[in-house]
Amino acid sequence: MSRTTHVFRLFVAGREHNSALARTNLAQLCEKHLKGRHRIDIVDVLKNTAIALEFRVLVTPTLMLVRPRPEVTVLGNLNDTREVLAALRLIGGER
Amino acid sequence: MARSKGRRRELAKLPTGIAGLDEVLGGGLPAGRMTLLNGGPGSGKSLIGLQSLLHGARAGEPGILILFEERADAVRLNARSLGWDLAALERTNKLYLFDARLNPGAIVTGDFSIKGLLAILDRQVKSMRARRLVIDAVDRLVQLYDSASRERQELSSLHEWLLDRKLTTIMTVKAMPEDDRRSRHAFLDFMADCVIDVDQRVTTQVATRRLRVVKYRGSGYGRNEYPFIIGENGINVIPITSNVLQHPAPGPRVSTGLTRLDDLVAGGYKRGTSVLIVGTAGAGKTTLGCTFAQAACRRGERVLYLSFEESPESLVSNMLSPGLVLRPLIKRGQLVVQSYLPEAMGVEEHLFHALQALDELRPKHVIVDAITACRRMGSESAAFEYLMRVLNACRERGITCLYLNQATGTDIVAEISGIGISSIIDTAVLLRQLPIDGTMTRQLIVMKSRGTPHSEQFHEFRITDRGIDLDEA
C-alpha cells in the first residue's frame, strides 16, 4: 500500500450507462498510467446518499482525485482520455 | 360551470402566502406541479420562492430550498433581516436548505446525469415528508450541458421526478435576452404549468418591481402587470381590479361641509365618487378639503388625509386661522393624517401604504393633498398610476375621494386636467383669485359634476376666521 500514489473516488448511479462507461474508462487509464500505485473507491449515490450529500455530488458520474493534492473534480463519463489525463495532471502542464 | 365540462375539475392550488400574489393567481400555485419564475438579478424572484416556502413550512407543509447559486448562510442572513428565523424551522425539519452550488473548478468530460441530485433529494423528501420545493437558479445546473437536447432530457427527468412526488415546485431562472429565452428556455416555459415573469426597472431614479403571470394551465389569472415591493415583512404584490363595472353605485349625497356649496351641486358630493379641487397656491384648496373633512368627522365618518405637502402638525396649525380645529378630530381617530415625502419611495411603496391604510382604517373619505406633488414619485406616469389606483381602490370600497390639485399658471381651466385624470373625475371644483377693484377676490366655480345639475356661475367667497363664507348665486 505504501506505493499507492493516486487515490480516486468515483461516484456512480447504479448501473446507468455513463456510470459504467466512467468505471471502464478510469480503470483503463489507471492500468496504463498508474499501474500498481493507485486506488479507486467507488460510491454508488443511489445506495450511499449520505456520502453523496456530504460531498455535494449532484451529477453522476463524478470523479474526484483525492490524492495527491490539490483535489480535482471531473464530471462526466471520462470519454476524452487526453482531457482526463490533463485534468488529473498525468500529462502536460506537470511540474 | 366547471361541472358542465364533465371531467374538468377545479385545479387544486396551494397559497404562496404572499399578499396580493395569491389573488393574482386565483388562489395560489398549482398544487403538485411546477411554476417557473423568470427574472433578472435582484428582481426578487428568489425571495418570492423563499417566502412561499416559509409560508408552507409554517402551515405544516415542509419544504426544501435547493440553492444553485447562493450560499445557504447568506440566505439565512437575508431572511433574518426580514424577521424570518429559518434556522428554527430547519431544526424542526420543516425547512431544509440544500447548498447545491456546483464546484466551479470542476472539469466536464463526456456525458453525465443529475441522478446524484435526485438521489439526495429523494432521501430528503421522504425523511421530512416535503410537500414544497424551490429550485433557485436552475439555469446554473442547465449551463453544464452544452447540448440543448441533453439539457431538455435532464430537465424532463427532473420534471417527471417532481410530478411523481407531487411536489409543489417553484423553479427560478435568470431571465435571458429574448433570443436566448426562445431557444434555450422555451422548453422550461413549456414544461411549467404556471409561468411568472418578474422584473425591476429604474425610471427617473425610482426603482419599480413588477410581476406578470404569463401562463397558468387550467386556471384563470390576473392578466395585468402588478407592481410589488419588498417591504419589512417580505413581498407585497399590489393587485388592481380596474373593472369599473364592479364598482358599487355611488351612494347618497354627503355634505361638502358648506351649505351653500351643497346647494350648487344638488345637495353635496355623491358618496363613493371622485372630486377634484383645483386652484392656485393660496386659493383655499386645503381649506375646502379640510372643511369637508371636519363635517364628515362630526357626522362620525372617518377621513384619511394623505398629505404630500406638509406634516400633520403644520396642517393642524395652518387650519387654525380659517377656524378649523382638527386636533381633537385627530385625537379621536376620526381624522387620520399621513404625511409622506413623494420622493422618499417608489410608486409601489406609496400605493402599498395608501391601500394598506384604506384596508386598516376603513375610512369613508380620502383626501389627497396635492396630486401635483405625486409627480415627484418618479414621473408623470408614476403619478398617474398612483392616482388611478388609489381612485379605483376607493371606488371599489365606496369611499369618496378628494384630489386637491395645485394649478401653476393663470389659465386654470386648462390645468383642470390634472395629470390627465380629469376624464375619470366625477366632480371638479375650481378656485381662483382675481384682482377686482384693487382687492383680491376669491371665486369658486363647479366645472363639472357628472350626472348632476349644477350651477355654472362663478361665486365669490372669503376665508374668514370662522371658515369659508360663500356667496349665494
Side-chain angles (χ1 to χ4, degrees):
Chain A
M1 281 312 260
S2 58
R3 284 177 52 226
T4 302
T5 55
H6 284 68
V7 177
F8 297 99
R9 194 180 292 123
L10 179 65
F11 292 87
V12 297
R15 287 187 223 175
E16 63 150 0
H17 180 62
N18 285 322
S19 293
L21 262 181
R23 289 169 92 136
T24 315
N25 285 336
L26 181 64
Q28 283 176 355
L29 182 148
C30 287
E31 182 64 22
K32 194 168 171 194
H33 296 269
L34 298 164
K35 195 174 170 69
R37 50 190 180 97
H38 68 274
R39 196 179 85 216
I40 301 171
D41 299 329
I42 306 260
V43 181
D44 186 343
V45 297
L46 304 183
K47 290 180 186 147
N48 277 307
T49 320
I51 301 180
L53 179 58
E54 186 188 332
F55 289 96
R56 271 203 265 150
V57 174
L58 309 177
V59 307
T60 49
T62 290
L63 172 66
M64 287 178 187
L65 170 65
V66 183
R67 265 208 340 252
R69 299 259 155 200
E71 255 194 31
V72 175
T73 303
V74 184
L75 313 178
N77 62 23
L78 313 177
N79 255 356
D80 188 330
T81 313
R82 281 194 64 83
E83 218 178 323
V84 177
L85 287 173
L88 298 177
R89 305 185 296 265
L90 292 172
I91 53 163
E94 216 179 348
R95 270 180 294 180
Chain B
M1 189 191 81
R3 295 224 167 158
S4 67
K5 294 215 171 167
R7 63 191 187 83
R8 188 160 179 162
R9 282 206 260 120
E10 198 62 35
L11 196 72
K13 295 184 181 181
L14 275 193
T16 62
I18 295 171
L21 182 58
D22 289 329
E23 212 174 310
V24 172
L25 294 172
L29 304 169
R33 313 208 139 249
M34 197 264 276
T35 296
L36 190 69
L37 218 55
N38 285 305
S43 60
K45 59 184 187 306
S46 303
L47 197 58
I48 293 177
L50 177 61
Q51 196 172 339
S52 72
L53 212 52
L54 206 66
H55 174 76
R58 286 173 178 155
E61 292 159 7
I64 298 173
L65 175 59
I66 306 172
L67 298 159
F68 281 120
E69 199 164 67
E70 255 188 299
R71 297 170 56 97
D73 278 346
V75 172
R76 287 188 194 102
L77 201 67
N78 271 338
R80 202 170 304 153
S81 72
L82 293 161
W84 304 339
D85 186 359
L86 301 191
L89 289 164
E90 288 177 273
R91 276 194 299 274
T92 53
N93 256 327
K94 289 280 178 276
L95 184 68
Y96 181 72
L97 301 194
F98 178 32
D99 189 334
R101 285 172 302 140
L102 296 151
N103 179 348
I107 293 148
V108 181
T109 107
D111 195 24
F112 58 88
S113 73
I114 54 166
K115 289 231 165 57
L117 173 67
L118 296 185
I120 293 171
L121 286 179
D122 232 3
R123 185 179 130 115
Q124 196 59 38
V125 166
K126 280 186 188 126
S127 84
M128 65 190 288
R129 294 170 183 276
R131 303 235 0 239
R132 296 189 189 225
L133 184 66
V134 171
I135 305 177
D136 196 33
V138 76
D139 44 293
R140 295 305 286 263
L141 180 68
V142 168
Q143 269 168 16
L144 281 179
Y145 288 94
D146 48 14
S147 133
S149 68
R150 282 295 293 129
E151 182 182 308
R152 284 179 190 189
Q153 280 170 16
E154 290 301 281
L155 283 171
S156 289
S157 63
L158 177 58
H159 189 222
E160 287 298 316
W161 181 86
L162 303 170
L163 294 177
D164 284 347
R165 279 147 194 84
K166 298 186 169 57
L167 289 163
T168 304
T169 304
I170 291 178
M171 260 190 214
T172 77
V173 62
K174 214 169 284 129
M176 298 283 155
E178 248 338 280
D179 282 357
D180 242 24
R181 178 167 176 182
R182 232 173 281 141
S183 55
R184 284 185 84 87
H185 291 297
F187 187 68
L188 272 172
D189 281 5
F190 161 75
M191 237 170 39
D193 280 275
C194 177
V195 177
I196 304 172
D197 280 2
V198 183
D199 80 30
Q200 184 180 23
R201 291 167 224 171
V202 178
T203 43
T204 46
Q205 289 158 5
V206 181
T208 61
R209 297 171 197 276
R210 274 142 215 278
L211 67 81
R212 191 165 70 91
V213 181
V214 187
K215 159 183 175 181
Y216 200 152
R217 219 170 255 157
S219 167
Y221 54 89
R223 301 205 175 235
N224 294 330
E225 259 192 338
Y226 300 94
F228 69 95
I229 59 160
I230 298 174
E232 289 160 21
N233 317 307
I235 306 268
N236 286 285
V237 179
I238 303 149
I240 336 98
T241 15
S242 47
N243 189 349
V244 182
L245 297 174
Q246 286 179 349
H247 297 154
R253 305 263 169 192
V254 284
S255 172
T256 63
L258 293 174
T259 322
R260 285 184 184 155
L261 181 54
D262 288 348
D263 292 343
L264 300 183
V265 289
Y269 307 131
K270 274 189 191 166
R271 189 182 292 277
T273 63
S274 52
V275 181
L276 182 68
I277 297 174
V278 199
T280 47
K285 300 179 302 292
T286 301
T287 309
L288 191 57
C290 287
T291 302
F292 171 77
Q294 189 188 48
C297 290
R298 284 186 178 157
R299 292 193 304 270
E301 299 172 358
R302 179 175 277 165
V303 177
L304 172 64
Y305 199 106
L306 297 172
S307 175
F308 294 108
E309 301 269 335
E310 52 188 347
S311 68
E313 277 310 306
S314 90
L315 181 72
V316 166
S317 72
N318 287 341
M319 285 301 109
L320 286 174
S321 89
L324 296 167
V325 188
L326 304 179
R327 197 180 302 279
L329 305 176
I330 293 175
K331 273 197 177 146
R332 286 204 296 273
Q334 285 172 324
L335 178 63
V336 181
V337 183
Q338 296 187 347
S339 289
Y340 298 102
L341 204 61
E343 45 276 271
M345 42 196 171
V347 69
E348 283 75 27
E349 222 165 326
H350 277 294
L351 262 176
F352 172 69
H353 287 297
L355 299 188
Q356 195 180 37
L358 292 188
D359 286 337
E360 280 174 8
L361 302 168
R362 302 190 168 279
K364 289 271 189 268
H365 315 283
V366 170
I367 300 174
V368 179
D369 186 9
I371 65 172
T372 355
C374 295
R375 287 200 181 97
R376 279 150 51 207
M377 288 176 191
S379 63
E380 186 95 356
S381 69
F384 180 74
E385 192 174 336
Y386 175 83
L387 295 167
M388 276 298 287
R389 297 251 165 93
V390 170
L391 203 74
N392 264 322
C394 285
R395 279 198 184 149
E396 280 168 12
R397 293 163 177 80
I399 297 170
T400 319
C401 194
L402 258 69
Y403 280 168
L404 311 189
N405 188 22
Q406 171 144 341
T408 45
T410 44
D411 186 7
I412 313 180
V413 180
E415 287 193 47
I416 199 157
S417 53
I419 320 190
I421 59 165
S422 69
S423 60
I424 52 158
I425 290 287
D426 296 298
T427 306
V429 178
L430 190 150
L431 308 179
R432 69 177 185 187
Q433 289 172 284
L434 287 178
I436 295 175
D437 297 336
T439 52
M440 275 307 234
T441 307
R442 297 175 191 272
Q443 293 184 330
L444 173 155
I445 185 170
V446 179
M447 294 289 294
K448 167 182 181 181
S449 194
R450 197 173 271 167
T452 304
H454 61 88
S455 153
E456 286 177 352
Q457 281 182 321
F458 278 101
H459 302 267
E460 289 194 5
F461 72 97
R462 287 154 298 282
I463 297 179
T464 72
D465 58 2
R466 306 189 59 194
I468 294 176
D469 177 23
L470 181 66
D471 286 349
E472 279 180 84

